[in-house]
Amino acid sequence: MAEFPSIIRYLTGITTTGTPHLGNYVGSVRPSVAASRRDDVQSFYFLADYHALIKCDEPARIQRSTLEIAATWLACGLDPERVTFYRQSDIPEIPELTWLLTCVSAKGMLNRAHAYKAAVDKNVARGEDPDGEVSAGLFMYPVLMAADIVMFNAHKVPVGRDQAQHLEMTRDIAQRFNHLYGEHFTLPEAEIDDAVALLPGLDGRKMSKSYDNTIPLFTPRAQLQKLIAGIVTDSRAPGEPKDTEGSALFQIYQAFASAQETEALRTAFADGIAWGDAKQLLFERIDREIGPLRERYESLMADPAGIERTLLAGAEKARALSRPFMGRLRQAVGLRNLAEGAATKTVKGAKASKGSSKIGFKQYRERDGLFYFKLLDERGSTLLQSIGFKSPQDAGQIIGALQQSPDDFVNSFANQLEPIDNETALAAAKVLKTLSQAAAES
């Protein structure tokens, strides 16, 4: 049997509390846009405005930042037709899922979250109440982040190394939920690029809005040159060899340059290039990449209504997945319609093999009014899960077609099924063949 292609789901979000800077670009936007163009990747990009409320109480700033970040993604080449691009607050299933996950999250685990511990340590050092001015939002941040990720069962989440702990917490929370209620969530993996995860800022520390040391991504050309001229360097004079190790200027250049260009600057450092000349090289290299994107960004910023339409369209695409999934999760935890009995029924014509009473298709209707089906193995575990259909006839047609194409169903029906891994695809193909043979013999 041929190996099935594996579709990998990537999910990336940026908190809407400030203007996008070079660190956001090289650490998140650029690699994620590149990943979104791969045929084996299904990409989700969102504006984390719920997260913004944890650290910002300025409504106008959050609105402006949301606009700037959305325009940045689009200017940098994100194709909203190819990916799922949405605003976090447009997906009401996310806060609902956050509560379900809150109910299975250990407080002791949340006590160990870096952001919460840092706030507590800061208060203790001042001799104040450890939890003074620490909001429940800050404490629950990892659970909201977990909901963002497992809502769409992301396989990979590009993050900086400082966010890796939150991915581990997401895995812990998802495992606990799966243990209690069945296998619903994929356990995500952090994808960390150490070369760009901690891009230095103007003062040499990590580029961060918190340190006020950022270089705005689409700042005007003259301002970009001025900011780069202000990057902190040492006092070595022209002609004196300079170290690349620990040099913020060199690290920023390396994040934009090719390997050949990087080696050329490394040689120039050893030969004693003047700091002013090195900064000019950095400015020219950044502007060569960012300059062409700046005009597109400015055009997008001038049309906020257009960006709003794009985000709402993306939210509908996202909710086509989150609505039915949330319905299944509500069913799993017991939030059910009391007037209904068994939620599923066996589809006619899908006979089970001897000794396998659970094998086959189950077709059902969710609260969103759409019709779904899933394929179960002999243990009752779900192998395939469909998207929603407007009528049971539409769902039934796909079920029939699946049994006609058991060897190539992943390629043929990718748009009608939720993504699965290779191992599950192989198991599903085996069950489909069994059902197909049983139907032929009847």
Side-chain angles (χ1 to χ4, degrees):
M1 186 182 299
E3 283 289 319
F4 295 107
S6 181
I7 302 297
I8 304 173
R9 285 189 173 188
Y10 274 77
L11 182 139
T12 298
I14 296 182
T15 305
T16 57
T17 53
T19 299
H21 54 71
L22 294 185
N24 299 139
Y25 175 71
V26 302
S28 177
V29 177
R30 185 176 63 184
S32 297
V33 169
S36 75
R37 294 169 178 155
R38 289 168 45 187
D39 292 334
D40 62 338
V41 164
Q42 186 178 20
S43 299
F44 294 77
Y45 301 96
F46 69 96
L47 308 171
D49 51 349
Y50 278 144
H51 287 291
L53 299 178
I54 295 171
K55 60 181 73 174
C56 180
D57 58 4
E58 303 172 48
R61 178 181 169 190
I62 291 176
Q63 181 184 23
R64 176 69 180 183
S65 178
T66 301
L67 176 63
E68 291 177 342
I69 293 172
T72 295
W73 282 111
L74 297 171
C76 291
L78 194 68
D79 182 355
E81 296 298 321
R82 185 181 178 91
V83 306
T84 304
F85 180 50
Y86 58 98
R87 179 171 41 205
Q88 185 186 33
S89 61
D90 287 333
I91 315 298
E93 293 78 20
I94 288 176
E96 183 175 2
L97 177 56
T98 299
W99 179 249
L100 298 191
L101 298 183
T102 296
C103 293
V104 302
S105 297
K107 180 177 180 293
M109 177 191 69
L110 298 175
N111 286 341
R112 296 189 292 272
H114 294 324
Y116 172 65
K117 284 184 64 179
V120 169
D121 291 345
K122 190 174 181 180
N123 285 335
V124 170
R126 294 173 175 172
E128 300 173 355
D129 176 4
D131 285 323
E133 297 188 8
V134 176
S135 72
L138 175 64
F139 185 73
M140 297 302 299
Y141 173 94
V143 185
L144 177 56
M145 182 172 175
D148 291 325
I149 296 167
V150 301
M151 173 58 76
F152 299 106
N153 276 320
H155 300 101
K156 300 280 189 179
V157 183
V159 293
R161 188 160 293 281
D162 57 339
Q163 287 283 331
Q165 184 200 41
H166 289 139
L167 261 293
E168 288 303 314
M169 289 183 169
T170 296
R171 291 172 62 88
D172 289 343
I173 295 168
Q175 282 180 316
R176 176 62 177 166
F177 191 96
N178 287 349
H179 175 73
L180 292 172
Y181 301 112
E183 296 294 322
H184 294 280
F185 298 132
T186 297
L187 303 186
E189 296 180 359
E191 185 159 284
I192 300 170
D193 185 345
D194 287 317
V196 297
L198 296 176
L199 193 71
L202 298 172
D203 58 3
R205 294 183 294 177
K206 173 190 172 182
M207 189 174 291
S208 170
K209 294 182 284 287
S210 302
Y211 297 144
D212 194 26
N213 66 350
T214 65
I215 300 176
L217 179 57
F218 291 118
T219 192
R221 193 171 187 272
Q223 180 65 14
L224 175 63
Q225 187 169 27
K226 182 177 179 180
L227 287 170
I228 290 174
I231 292 175
V232 173
T233 55
D234 60 34
S235 59
R236 298 185 203 190
E240 289 186 73
K242 297 169 177 63
D243 294 329
T244 57
E245 186 71 27
S247 169
L249 191 155
F250 186 84
Q251 290 178 51
I252 297 172
Y253 185 88
Q254 187 176 26
F256 284 86
S258 66
Q260 185 176 1
E261 289 170 330
T262 299
E263 285 307 307
L265 185 60
R266 191 186 303 277
T267 299
F269 266 51
D271 292 341
I273 186 173
W275 285 124
D277 293 338
K279 290 177 179 179
Q280 181 63 24
L281 286 174
L282 175 60
F283 162 69
E284 292 172 356
R285 184 62 190 84
I286 292 176
D287 194 58
R288 187 159 73 247
E289 182 167 334
I290 300 302
L293 308 178
R294 191 181 293 117
E295 183 176 352
R296 169 67 174 154
Y297 172 79
E298 292 171 352
S299 175
L300 287 161
M301 287 294 292
D303 183 22
I307 292 179
E308 180 70 14
R309 289 192 296 271
T310 297
L311 291 175
L312 292 178
E316 278 306 303
K317 189 188 296 187
R319 294 198 69 202
L321 297 173
S322 64
R323 277 190 298 249
F325 188 36
M326 197 65 229
R328 295 194 297 277
L329 295 175
R330 288 173 63 89
Q331 185 79 8
V333 302
L335 305 179
R336 300 169 180 170
N337 185 332
L338 302 182
E340 294 180 358
T344 63
K345 63 180 181 178
T346 304
V347 177
K348 293 180 180 180
K351 291 187 176 181
S353 61
K354 292 181 179 180
S356 301
S357 60
K358 295 183 180 179
I359 188 173
F361 285 99
K362 302 291 183 180
Q363 191 171 354
Y364 55 97
R365 189 177 188 178
E366 284 286 7
R367 293 185 180 185
D368 58 8
L370 299 178
F371 295 84
Y372 298 81
F373 65 80
K374 55 187 174 182
L375 176 66
L376 305 180
D377 64 13
E378 63 275 6
R379 297 169 299 178
S381 298
T382 300
L383 296 174
L384 299 179
Q385 174 62 57
S386 77
I387 63 169
F389 297 92
K390 292 183 178 180
S391 72
Q393 292 79 14
D394 290 342
Q397 287 179 358
I398 300 300
I399 290 173
L402 281 167
Q403 295 181 76
Q404 296 298 317
S405 305
D407 287 326
D408 194 38
F409 75 88
V410 173
N411 289 324
S412 301
F413 301 99
N415 293 332
Q416 285 80 36
L417 301 170
E418 292 189 357
I420 55 175
D421 57 33
N422 285 342
E423 183 179 351
T424 305
L426 292 169
K430 184 176 180 180
V431 170
L432 287 173
K433 281 191 171 182
T434 299
L435 297 174
S436 180
Q437 290 168 0
E441 293 170 359
S442 63

